[in-house]
């Protein structure tokens, strides 16, 4: 968003907040939301944000600022320097764009100051923002969201640049897809933001909606962030991150079906391990309880030595019970797939 403002490589703001509202599950697994200094100034400023109906831009801007403010307060926002892309690096990105357009050849159709590739139209500043995002994501070891037009462009150009077929998922991120399957739906929205001013003016609830939409969205954000802190969510996200790192190092994007397949394989392994662990723990627990009960009876009949040993046996029983709880807690993410 607005990556080209500091170096004047793009005079338009290119602010796209759709990724927030279309996939709120992003905030369950991302470590940080990385924002440039100039973009942060725009978000926290007073100007209108986005390209919604003009009469609703103020409400939309307040909503975006509220969400980013909460994310910043809980430590999720990370602001990076505008100098992360220098003037020279910005110029080099434009040169790469020109080379790639030439590589695409006849598939590029000129339409005035824009170009049509497939069913989407592009302009150099918009492509520059895409390339700059790729550049910053690599330098910051981060990922970023792609809209359909950006996805389509990369599907066209990457196989030509790499001289091989490159698989790119047609949906959003695989992680979001898996989370959407396993978790209840989350929403960061209020119909007041989308309804036209004319429609709202004719509604008897207009004043009520105007007074409550921010508080409703605030509750939605905190509900989402509370889910983020649950052990099973953290475990599942760590598992998905490990699978992505281990199995898909050569891929730019991961097919959700592949990720879900790997998770299901892991789930079977974990359940087998749990069954074996429970069987062993329960067997030893029963043995120790039998010994403990027998030895503890020695104390009842006045044998101090046997009584002490019996106490140790009861202690061992408690430890085994704690082991069961620890195993259950460690693999709690499996319960998400058993609903």
């Amino acid at each position: 968003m607005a990556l080209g403002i500091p170096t004047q490589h793009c005079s338009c703001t290119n602010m796209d907040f759709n990724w927030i509202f279309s996939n709120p599950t992003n905030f369950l697994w991302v470590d940080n939301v990385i924002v440039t200094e100039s973009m942060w100034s725009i978000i926290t400023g007073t100007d209108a944000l986005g390209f919604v109906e003009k009469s609703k831009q103020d409400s939309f801007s307040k909503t975006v600022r509220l969400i980013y403010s909460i994310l910043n307060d809980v430590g999720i926002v990370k602001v990076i320097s505008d100098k992360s892309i220098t003037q020279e690096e910005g110029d080099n990105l434009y040169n790469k764009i020109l080379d790639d357009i030439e590589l695409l050849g006849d598939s590029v159709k000129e339409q005035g100051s824009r170009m049509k590739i497939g069913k989407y139209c592009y302009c150099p500043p918009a492509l520059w923002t895409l390339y700059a995002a790729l550049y910053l994501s690599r330098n910051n070891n981060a990922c970023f969201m792609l809209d359909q037009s950006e996805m389509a462009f990369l599907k066209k150009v990457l196989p030509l640049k790499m001289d091989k077929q490159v698989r790119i998922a047609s949906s959003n991120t695989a992680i979001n897809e898996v989370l959407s399957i396993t978790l209840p739906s989350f929403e960061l929205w209020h119909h007041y933001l989308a309804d036209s001013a004319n429609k709202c003016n004719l509604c008897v609830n207009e004043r009520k909606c105007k007074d409550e939409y921010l508080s409703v969205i605030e509750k939605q954000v905190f509900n989402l962030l509370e889910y983020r802190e649950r052990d099973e969510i953290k475990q599942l996200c760590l598992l998905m991150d490990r699978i992505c790192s281990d199995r898909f190092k050569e891929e730019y994007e991961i097919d959700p079906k592949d990720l879900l397949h790997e998770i299901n394989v892991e789930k079977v392994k974990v359940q087998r391990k749990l069954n074996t662990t429970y069987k062993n723990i329960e067997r030893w627990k029963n043995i120790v309880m039998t010994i403990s009960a027998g030895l503890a009876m020695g104390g009842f009949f006045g044998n101090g030595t046997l009584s002490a040993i019996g106490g140790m046996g009861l202690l061992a029983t408690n430890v085994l019970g704690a082991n069961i709880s620890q195993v259950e807690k460690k693999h709690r993410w499996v319960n998400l797939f058993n609903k």
Side-chain angles (χ1 to χ4, degrees):
M1 299 184 294
L3 298 177
I5 290 178
T7 54
Q8 300 301 309
H9 282 99
C10 180
S11 58
C12 61
T13 54
N14 285 333
M15 290 182 291
D16 180 8
F17 298 103
N18 182 60
W19 66 275
I20 294 177
F21 303 106
S22 62
N23 283 304
T25 50
N26 287 315
F27 299 118
L28 288 175
W29 61 271
V30 298
D31 294 320
N32 296 107
V33 176
I34 299 176
V35 184
T36 59
E37 290 173 327
S38 57
M39 191 64 220
W40 184 245
S41 296
I42 293 172
I43 292 173
T44 57
T46 57
D47 294 335
L49 303 172
F51 301 101
V52 296
E53 181 188 343
K54 192 171 183 179
S55 63
K56 290 300 179 74
Q57 282 190 353
D58 181 60
S59 302
F60 179 80
S61 301
K62 287 180 180 177
T63 299
V64 171
R65 290 185 178 110
L66 172 66
I67 293 172
Y68 269 93
S69 174
I70 294 173
L71 296 177
N72 185 52
D73 289 342
V74 299
I76 293 178
V77 172
K78 177 182 178 183
V79 181
I80 61 174
S81 171
D82 282 337
K83 295 180 181 179
S84 297
I85 298 180
T86 65
Q87 185 71 42
E88 181 181 0
E89 289 167 338
D91 293 340
N92 289 337
L93 290 179
Y94 258 125
N95 293 331
K96 291 182 185 299
I97 292 171
L98 295 176
D99 291 341
D100 290 346
I101 291 173
E102 184 176 346
L103 195 62
L104 289 168
D106 294 338
S107 60
V108 179
K109 310 296 182 184
E110 297 291 338
Q111 291 190 346
S113 60
R114 298 171 66 81
M115 61 193 113
K116 187 173 184 180
I117 305 172
K119 65 178 182 178
Y120 295 103
C121 289
Y122 305 88
C123 66
L127 288 177
W128 187 93
T129 298
L130 171 61
Y131 279 55
L134 283 165
Y135 177 81
L136 286 178
S137 67
R138 183 185 67 183
N139 288 355
N140 289 275
N141 191 28
C143 59
F144 67 100
M145 303 301 160
L146 297 167
D147 64 25
Q148 291 301 316
S149 65
E150 292 169 333
M151 187 79 75
F153 179 82
L154 292 178
K155 281 185 175 181
K156 285 278 188 182
V157 76
L158 283 176
L160 297 174
K161 289 173 69 73
M162 302 180 69
D163 194 29
K164 68 175 182 177
Q165 288 299 314
V166 179
R167 184 180 53 171
I168 301 177
S170 58
S171 59
N172 206 321
T173 67
I175 290 176
N176 279 336
E177 289 288 328
V178 172
L179 289 174
S180 67
I181 292 171
T182 57
L183 300 178
S185 60
F186 293 99
E187 189 174 53
L188 296 182
W189 192 249
H190 193 284
H191 62 83
Y192 179 73
L193 298 173
D195 291 341
S196 67
N198 290 336
K199 182 178 179 180
C200 288
N201 290 336
L202 297 174
C203 179
V204 295
N205 294 317
E206 192 270 344
R207 172 51 59 185
K208 180 176 181 290
C209 289
K210 188 174 182 178
D211 290 341
E212 75 172 15
Y213 77 95
L214 283 177
S215 61
V216 169
I217 292 172
E218 183 174 12
K219 289 179 182 178
Q220 292 172 348
V221 175
F222 280 115
N223 177 54
L224 188 58
L225 294 177
E226 286 170 6
Y227 256 88
R228 172 188 170 94
E229 296 306 316
R230 295 190 179 186
D231 283 342
E232 57 266 44
I233 304 298
K234 291 182 177 181
Q235 291 167 5
L236 178 59
C237 290
L238 285 172
L239 172 65
M240 289 191 286
D241 185 56
R242 177 173 66 76
I243 291 173
C244 294
S245 298
D246 292 345
R247 298 295 300 274
F248 301 99
K249 291 181 179 178
E250 302 301 320
E251 304 294 343
Y252 277 81
E253 191 75 17
I254 302 163
D255 192 316
K257 291 180 293 187
D258 292 339
L259 179 56
L260 189 56
H261 172 82
E262 293 298 324
I263 290 174
N264 282 325
V265 169
E266 189 71 19
K267 185 183 72 169
V268 171
K269 292 179 180 178
V270 167
Q271 288 177 325
R272 183 188 302 137
K273 179 180 178 182
L274 287 174
N275 290 338
T276 303
T277 302
Y278 285 145
K279 189 181 298 182
N280 290 337
I281 287 179
E282 286 296 332
R283 180 164 59 87
W284 281 106
K285 180 181 177 183
N286 290 335
I287 291 173
V288 173
M289 286 182 69
T290 302
I291 295 174
S292 299
L295 294 181
M297 290 301 288
F300 181 77
F301 292 109
N303 190 321
T305 303
L306 290 179
S307 178
I309 297 175
M312 291 175 63
L314 291 172
L315 175 62
T317 303
N318 292 333
V319 171
L320 286 173
N323 285 342
I324 293 176
S325 298
Q326 190 63 31
V327 170
E328 289 176 335
K329 184 176 180 181
K330 182 179 179 182
H331 299 290
R332 191 176 292 170
W333 66 269
V334 174
N335 295 331
L336 294 173
F337 287 85
N338 289 336
K339 293 180 180 180

